[in-house]
Structures are given as C-alpha cells and as structure tokens.
C-alpha cells in the first residue's frame, strides 16, 4: 500500500521546482529537479534548483507546524550541503492560480538581504490571511507581494513568512550586490 503522506510530499516538491525556476530563471541550475533520497541523515534539501540554496518543502495540514519545520529544516540542510541560503517553502492548499500559492518560510537573520518585517503575528491564521491578501479591506493598505514580509511569533520559533515572490526578489537583490562587488 502506498504512503499517501509521502506521495503528497513528493507531488508538492515536484510542483515547487518550476515555481522557483520560473521566478529565478537566471539562477536556476540547468537540470533543476527534486533531490532523490530525501530524509537521509545528511539531507541537503528537497530541491536541486539554486546552487547556493537548500530548499525544504513542507505540505502539512497544520500550517503553523509546517511553516516552522520548513524554515528550521532548511537551515539544517543548508549546513549539511555547505549552502549559504536556507529556504522553506509551504504551499497554501486550496489557493487559486491568481492567489498567493507558495509561502517562503525563513528563520530570522536568514533572509537573503537584511529585512525588517512589516507586520508581526502571534496567530498563524491571521498571518496567513495577511500574506495571502492582494486586496485590503476598505480603509487599509494592501501591501505589494514583494513587501509583504511578516514575522510569525507566538508559540514556537519565530519565522519570517512571505509570498515566494518576495523571497525571490530578495534573492535576486542579494546576488546583484555580489555581482556589483565582483565587477
């Protein structure tokens, strides 16, 4: 009998590859794919997409635990693979094509460039509602997806969360700084 949790995880890992490739085509490795043999003792990440980044994908029903586990797991995997960057990716189940579909989950201090979150949250449900909101209620500001970086505090380890587009923009910005310094 097949393991439905493993199949679900594998499916979302496969879905995450083209998301990163499409957002960062100039940095994507030529044969981007999911790493095989996930879960080994010296796991270096779920995805083989960016040369300097360990990517941990979590598709858990309990979003708060998945967010924190993805961020923490990416840090451990970055250490195993001698990678500078650690990215957790969590899909928002049930999101439509035009909505925020993937969250970037990163431990504080590990965002690709220095950043101050624009909002703090103690509750996962409020953080998710804010991160997903492309339109704000009457009288409130709707943050652009690239600015929508929040800190999920509350119980558990603090974690930065944002639409994956915000993380990709920061990754590109970090590499532009490196390229300018080398020139």
């Amino acid at each position: 009998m097949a393991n439905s949790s493993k199949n679900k995880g594998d499916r979302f890992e496969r879905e995450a590859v083209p998301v990163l490739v499409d957002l960062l085509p100039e940095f994507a490795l030529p044969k981007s794919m999911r790493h095989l043999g996930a879960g080994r003792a010296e796991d270096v990440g779920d995805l083989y997409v960016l040369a300097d980044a360990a990517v941990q994908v979590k598709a858990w029903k309990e979003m708060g635990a998945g967010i924190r586990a993805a961020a923490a797991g990416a840090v451990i995997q970055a250490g195993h693979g001698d990678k500078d960057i650690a990215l957790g990716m969590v899909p928002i189940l049930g999101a439509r094509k035009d909505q925020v579909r993937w969250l970037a989950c990163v431990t504080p201090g590990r965002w690709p460039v220095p950043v101050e979150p624009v909002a703090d949250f103690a509750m996962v449900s409020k953080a998710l509602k804010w991160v997903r909101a492309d339109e704000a209620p009457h009288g409130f500001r709707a943050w652009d997806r690239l600015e929508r970086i929040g800190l999920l505090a509350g119980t558990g380890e603090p974690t930065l969360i944002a639409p994956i587009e915000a993380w990709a923009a920061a990754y590109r910005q970090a590499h532009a700084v490196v390229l300018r310094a080398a020139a």
Side-chain angles (χ1 to χ4, degrees):
M1 184 166 168
N3 182 334
S4 64
S5 292
K6 179 171 180 3
N7 290 342
K8 177 181 169 187
D10 291 350
R11 178 171 44 98
F12 282 106
E13 288 171 9
R14 286 190 300 274
E15 183 182 319
V17 171
V19 169
L20 286 178
V21 170
D22 290 348
L23 287 170
L24 297 164
E26 69 274 31
F27 300 106
L29 295 168
K31 294 184 179 183
S32 295
M33 64 180 147
R34 40 182 302 265
H35 272 296
L36 301 177
R40 19 182 224 288
E42 295 294 315
D43 195 351
V44 296
D46 292 336
L47 307 182
Y48 175 79
V49 177
L50 303 169
D52 60 348
V55 183
Q56 172 68 49
V57 178
K58 293 289 184 196
W60 292 0
K61 187 175 180 179
E62 170 46 58
M63 289 291 289
I67 288 166
R68 289 183 171 94
V75 170
I76 292 166
Q77 292 171 346
H80 292 164
D82 292 325
K83 308 279 184 178
D84 295 328
I85 297 176
L87 168 65
M89 288 181 69
V90 174
I92 298 176
L93 305 177
R96 294 188 314 266
K97 187 176 183 177
D98 61 329
Q99 295 178 318
V100 173
R101 170 81 172 128
W102 285 92
L103 294 177
C105 310
V106 180
T107 58
R110 299 294 298 246
W111 197 256
V113 293
V115 68
E116 286 294 324
V118 296
D120 292 356
F121 299 94
M123 294 176 58
V124 175
S125 60
K126 289 186 179 189
L128 289 174
K129 184 175 181 180
W130 179 78
V131 168
R132 293 179 68 177
D134 286 328
E135 296 181 15
H138 178 71
F140 292 91
R141 176 182 176 190
W143 290 89
D144 182 89
R145 283 191 188 187
L146 302 186
E147 301 173 314
R148 213 176 301 159
I149 303 165
L151 178 69
L152 178 59
T155 58
E157 291 297 316
T159 305
L160 294 172
I161 62 169
I164 192 66
E165 296 91 343
W167 184 89
Y171 182 89
R172 184 174 283 113
Q173 181 184 358
H175 284 74
V177 170
V178 170
L179 292 174
R180 280 194 304 268

